[in-house]
Amino acid sequence: MKKRFSLHFHISTLFLLVMVLVGGAIGLLAYNTISKILLQSASDKSEAKVFQVSSNLYRLLEPPEIAVKLLANSAITDALTLSERMKRLGLLRQVLADKGEIAAVYIGYESGDFFLLRPIRTDAERTKYNAPPETHFMIQSIERQGATLEGSYLFLDSTLRLLKVDRQPDYAKKYFPRQRPWYQSAIKDSGSIITPPYLFFANRKVGVTIANKAENSRSVVAVDIELDAISKNLEEQKQTPNSKFALLDGQGFVIGITQDASLIKDSLDGSGRINLKQLNEFNSPILTQVFNVFSQKSGSNDFMDVVEVGGEKWEVDIHSFKVPGQSDFMLVSAVPQIELLAESIQFKNDLLWAIALLFILMTPAGLFLASSISKPIKFLAQETDNIRELKLHESIYVESRIQEISTLGNSLKRLKNTISAFTAYIPRDLVTSLLRSDDGIQVGGESRYLTILFSDLKDFSALSETTPTRELLRRISSYLKLMTYAIKEESGTVDKFIGDSVMAFWGAPTLNPNHAFHAAVAAIKTKRRMLKLNAGLIQEGNMPLVVRIGINTDAVLVGNIGSEERLSYTVMGDGVNIASRLEGINKEFATDIIISHSVFKEAGERLWVRPIDQITVKGRAGEILIYELLGIRGGDAETSPSATEIILCDLTSKAFNFYSAKNYESALAVYQELIEQYDDGLAKVMASKCQSHIES
């Protein structure tokens, strides 16, 4: 029986619970109101943040764009030699000085010449290029000398004084400016262009190039902007310490992120272009979840929602925008709600303390009220026990100002008088012995004609030794789920799972006159569906699973087997053992599904089968004929046999007729035909048996 508590306890608990619920409701309402205000404020800030980020991005890209337009109209685009270009270094240096995000400024000439100026800001860069310690700028030059191109690195100090010249013959052989995407795009366009992100040739960093065709149309001026500058700009816009910001290009690739991580994948494609990462490739659970949710959305790119990751809720905003004259972008922001709602959470905690204090102060009053109500009811309960035990001589006086309790007391008094009078007509012992009796589940069973199925996986022991436990469980669970559904669809009962084995039966507890046929259909469905499961395993690089099934029909004991402590509705008997043995015999005959002759007698006219052989089963006298099940006659597309399987049935039946008549030479000829045309495993086994009979 369930444990019961006194009315005093219930009333006290109810009183205190009401106080907690009322206080909690008030606190929750206030908390939700404040949370909505804060979240709405955060949502309002999100649009402003998009505008701010887009403005910052525009300010990041606009000055370099203006610079290349100015340089495109300058005399340096007409300079034919390195010395002429050196005379105009001041203008290039000014471009680098104005914007620290610019990694390099350069000109590609129609002749194949190239002239680039980049700042050298760190000792690591000086070491990389073997530059003098005083180096502040570096020129990378390709100059045509007659029929050849000569490459060189020139190192300059802060005043543009030449410090050192390094000849770089390989540089001119490897770098062809006219073949670069920035040159080819700009030379075809009348205005400035911006390239997709790519890996810079010189410093192997990721960035974009802004380029503009010169006024003379014989050269292209360009500047490089590293994506690190975009990520740094985003870092400054974070709303809370753990906020995540990411800037995506029009194809969904990340070009800036508030995370110390590389934007490119580990490998490059053959064209030299880089493979940028997407949100799900930064080892960040929230960004991965945002990628998964956003990938399922359709229509507008704009998206606002609450996403939960690892029990933590995040406010996620995705807004698309376009910088004038440039490409489409998307800004992704993910902010932990716990940080957005810090003020609200503090208010909630303060309110909880106030409710706890009120709870403590009101508890004595609640206990007193509960006692005053429950005491008379306790007396009435005791009076009820007296009546049940026929202690009619004992009387308890109950007085209460509560009308229902007073009415109940008067009713019990009249009931006691009535029962006291009633005992004059009915013996007291009989009255006290009247009890309701409920029979529980009884141990036992009955004999019934059923169909039993056993299945097992081929080479499961070897598979379990070479496969990690979790992966093994995943594969076996997929197989067991598949088979369970097939059995359920055909009204079968799954008795138990024994490792990778399944035991099922048909015809109990519900009677089923077609139990043998339904078992056969379930077996064929399992075999067909294993093909799809194995296709997925093979695609993953795993070995396929091969299921072997044995089916037998026989009279067995079915019912609740066990003890009162533990029962199991199962089947027992020799027919069960035969079904298990048939499953194992598949290995001997290279088959998948073996049925006994009793199954064939019950449903053979509706099955596509081929006879195998007469076998002796351990524990049973005599031999039984077994068959391989290949399909269902008149079945649907899933259970019908293929044209090849129908031929196998016909030819095997022909061969078996010869074999049964001991005409082993003729049987061998047909089995050999099956081997040669279809490489049939069963035919190989039977051909070997025929050969043994012929030789003996």
Side-chain angles (χ1 to χ4, degrees):
M1 295 179 64
K2 295 181 179 179
K3 189 174 183 180
R4 291 178 170 81
F5 301 91
S6 67
L7 180 63
H8 180 272
F9 174 83
H10 282 285
I11 295 176
S12 302
T13 302
L14 180 61
F15 180 83
L16 298 176
L17 182 61
V18 169
M19 287 195 303
V20 172
L21 290 177
V22 171
I26 295 173
L28 183 62
L29 180 61
Y31 171 73
N32 287 337
T33 301
I34 295 176
S35 297
K36 288 180 180 179
I37 293 173
L38 291 174
L39 291 176
Q40 184 61 44
S41 175
S43 177
D44 293 340
K45 289 179 181 179
S46 178
E47 282 193 42
K49 190 64 63 180
V50 173
F51 177 79
Q52 185 177 2
V53 171
S54 62
S55 298
N56 289 343
L57 184 61
Y58 184 80
R59 287 195 295 270
L60 181 70
L61 300 177
E62 183 186 32
E65 183 180 5
I66 295 173
V68 297
K69 287 182 178 179
L70 292 175
L71 288 174
N73 290 277
S74 66
I76 196 170
T77 60
D78 292 317
L80 300 178
T81 64
L82 176 59
S83 59
E84 291 179 13
R85 296 160 192 160
M86 293 284 289
K87 294 176 182 179
R88 294 169 175 81
L89 279 178
L91 183 58
L92 300 185
R93 180 179 64 175
Q94 190 61 41
V95 172
L96 294 175
D98 288 345
K99 292 297 291 182
E101 294 86 2
I102 297 179
V105 55
Y106 47 90
I107 304 97
Y109 294 90
E110 186 182 45
S111 62
D113 283 16
F114 181 71
F115 187 75
L116 175 146
L117 180 66
R118 73 168 61 256
I120 302 296
R121 298 187 175 98
T122 65
D123 290 336
E125 289 178 315
R126 295 183 182 95
T127 302
K128 177 181 178 180
Y129 295 109
N130 193 25
E134 305 87 0
T135 300
H136 281 76
F137 296 96
M138 173 185 175
I139 294 174
Q140 295 174 221
S141 173
I142 298 175
E143 184 182 24
R144 180 170 295 279
Q145 297 290 342
T148 62
L149 292 173
E150 293 184 1
S152 59
Y153 289 171
L154 293 80
F155 303 99
L156 314 172
D157 65 9
S158 59
T159 65
L160 300 182
R161 181 173 60 90
L162 183 62
L163 300 174
K164 178 184 175 183
V165 177
D166 277 350
R167 300 300 178 188
Q168 299 287 334
D170 289 338
Y171 179 47
K173 296 178 182 179
K174 293 179 180 179
Y175 188 75
F176 305 99
R178 290 181 300 178
Q179 298 178 10
R180 305 299 288 181
W182 56 266
Y183 185 98
Q184 295 180 353
S185 297
I187 205 70
K188 298 175 183 178
D189 201 293
S190 59
S192 59
I193 61 97
I194 181 170
T195 66
Y198 68 100
L199 195 66
F200 293 154
F201 180 88
N203 61 7
R204 313 307 290 170
K205 291 186 178 181
V206 180
V208 297
T209 295
I210 299 176
N212 202 102
K213 181 172 60 176
E215 186 179 23
N216 58 22
S217 299
R218 293 193 301 272
S219 59
V220 173
V221 180
V223 296
D224 286 345
I225 298 177
E226 295 175 359
L227 292 188
D228 289 345
I230 297 177
S231 296
K232 181 180 179 182
N233 187 276
L234 289 176
E235 185 70 27
E236 297 171 357
Q237 311 303 320
K238 290 174 60 173
Q239 293 174 264
T240 66
N242 292 308
S243 296
K244 302 286 187 182
F245 271 95
L247 188 64
L248 282 59
D249 64 13
Q251 287 73 45
F253 295 101
V254 178
I255 62 173
I257 191 168
T258 56
Q259 183 171 320
D260 186 16
S262 173
L263 299 177
I264 61 174
K265 297 182 181 179
D266 293 337
S267 60
L268 301 177
D269 60 32
S271 66
R273 295 178 62 86
I274 62 166
N275 294 317
L276 288 174
K277 292 181 181 178
Q278 293 186 305
L279 285 176
N280 61 329
E281 297 173 314
F282 283 90
N283 196 27
S284 170
I286 178 59
L287 294 182
T288 300
Q289 184 67 10
V290 170
F291 176 84
N292 294 335
V293 173
F294 186 62
S295 297
Q296 299 172 4
K297 298 288 180 180
S298 60
S300 175
N301 286 332
D302 292 348
F303 167 74
M304 297 178 63
D305 204 350
V306 177
V307 176
E308 184 170 348
V309 177
E312 184 179 10
K313 293 183 177 180
W314 294 69
E315 289 288 326
V316 175
D317 289 346
I318 300 178
H319 291 282
S320 58
F321 62 93
K322 185 172 184 178
V323 176
Q326 306 299 337
S327 303
D328 291 325
F329 296 93
M330 283 188 291
L331 177 65
V332 176
S333 68
V335 185
Q337 265 196 3
I338 193 171
E339 295 182 2
L340 283 176
L341 303 178
E343 296 177 12
S344 182
I345 293 173
Q346 182 61 46
F347 171 81
K348 180 189 70 174
N349 293 336
D350 294 341
L351 191 61
L352 287 176
W353 280 110
I355 294 173
L357 180 60
L358 180 64
F359 182 87
I360 293 172
L361 294 177
M362 293 298 293
T363 296
L367 295 176
F368 175 78
L369 178 63
S371 177
S372 63
I373 296 174
S374 63
K375 188 174 182 180
I377 298 178
K378 181 179 180 181
F379 289 152
L380 290 175
Q382 187 175 345
E383 181 75 345
T384 304
D385 285 338
N386 291 338
I387 295 173
R388 184 183 61 187
E389 298 296 330
L390 294 182
K391 297 177 181 179
L392 304 178
H393 61 282
E394 298 181 8
S395 180
I396 298 175
Y397 177 72
V398 177
E399 182 178 4
S400 175
R401 293 184 178 273
I402 301 175
Q403 181 179 350
E404 289 79 2
I405 295 178
S406 179
T407 301
L408 181 59
N410 293 332
S411 298
L412 287 176
K413 183 178 180 180
R414 288 193 293 270
L415 178 62
K416 181 186 287 187
N417 293 335
T418 301
I419 293 176
S420 179
F422 190 67
T423 55
Y425 300 94
I426 302 295
R428 179 181 291 266
D429 292 341
L430 179 60
V431 175
T432 57
S433 65
L434 291 176
L435 298 172
R436 180 178 299 175
S437 178
D438 295 324
D439 294 332
I441 299 175
Q442 302 297 317
V443 178
E446 62 177 337
S447 178
R448 190 178 293 184
Y449 198 66
L450 305 177
T451 297
I452 305 98
L453 177 149
F454 274 84
S455 78
D456 199 0
L457 288 178
K458 178 183 178 181
D459 299 328
F460 176 74
S461 298
L463 179 66
S464 61
E465 292 174 0
T466 59
T467 306
T469 304
R470 182 172 297 181
E471 174 62 22
L472 179 65
L473 179 61
R474 182 183 72 84
R475 297 189 208 171
I476 298 304
S477 296
S478 299
Y479 145 70
L480 294 177
K481 179 180 178 181
L482 177 152
M483 188 157 197
T484 300
Y485 281 173
I487 294 170
K488 184 178 179 181
E489 288 173 4
E490 296 304 315
S491 305
T493 300
V494 176
D495 187 293
K496 60 178 69 70
F497 300 117
I498 311 170
D500 63 314
S501 300
V502 178
M503 175 183 172
F505 53 87
W506 281 258
T510 303
L511 291 174
N512 185 346
N514 297 314
H515 49 83
F517 174 72
H518 286 293
V521 174
I524 289 296
K525 285 184 175 180
T526 298
K527 181 179 178 180
R528 299 287 194 268
R529 294 171 186 178
M530 286 296 293
L531 297 176
K532 184 176 180 181
L533 174 63
N534 285 330
L537 293 175
I538 293 171
Q539 188 175 10
E540 295 171 358
N542 298 316
M543 294 295 294
L545 301 177
V546 178
V547 63
R548 296 184 295 209
I549 297 174
I551 307 175
N552 182 44
T553 299
D554 204 346
V556 295
L557 178 65
V558 58
N560 296 309
I561 310 300
S563 67
E564 294 179 354
E565 294 294 327
R566 179 66 182 269
L567 295 174
S568 176
Y569 189 84
T570 187
V571 293
M572 299 177 63
D574 184 56
V576 179
N577 299 331
I578 292 176
S580 176
R581 175 71 179 118
L582 293 181
E583 179 276 319
I585 291 176
N586 279 290
K587 183 177 181 181
E588 301 176 19
F589 290 97
T591 54
D592 295 326
I593 306 173
I594 290 182
I595 65 172
S596 65
H597 187 64
S598 59
V599 176
F600 180 79
K601 288 194 299 182
E602 289 291 317
E605 74 281 358
R606 304 172 67 182
L607 307 177
W608 280 101
V609 299
R610 56 175 178 167
I612 299 177
D613 199 357
Q614 297 272 1
I615 64 167
T616 301
V617 179
K618 183 179 180 181
R620 168 171 285 202
E623 295 183 331
I624 63 173
L625 178 59
I626 60 175
Y627 306 80
E628 182 182 16
L629 176 63
L630 294 179
I632 306 299
R633 293 182 183 270
D636 55 20
E638 184 180 32
T639 59
S640 295
S642 65
T644 300
E645 289 173 329
I646 294 175
I647 294 173
L648 289 177
C649 290
D650 293 336
L651 290 179
T652 306
S653 297
K654 178 180 178 182
F656 184 76
N657 290 334
F658 287 132
Y659 183 86
S660 300
K662 297 185 180 181
N663 186 352
Y664 299 118
E665 289 82 2
S666 298
L668 178 60
V670 180
Y671 284 129
Q672 287 291 353
E673 181 181 352
L674 285 169
I675 295 171
E676 293 172 1
Q677 293 187 15
Y678 303 102
D679 193 29
D680 181 47
L682 172 60
K684 293 178 181 179
V685 175
M686 295 306 298
S688 177
K689 287 193 172 189
C690 290
Q691 190 66 44
S692 298
H693 284 298
I694 293 171
E695 292 175 357
S696 63

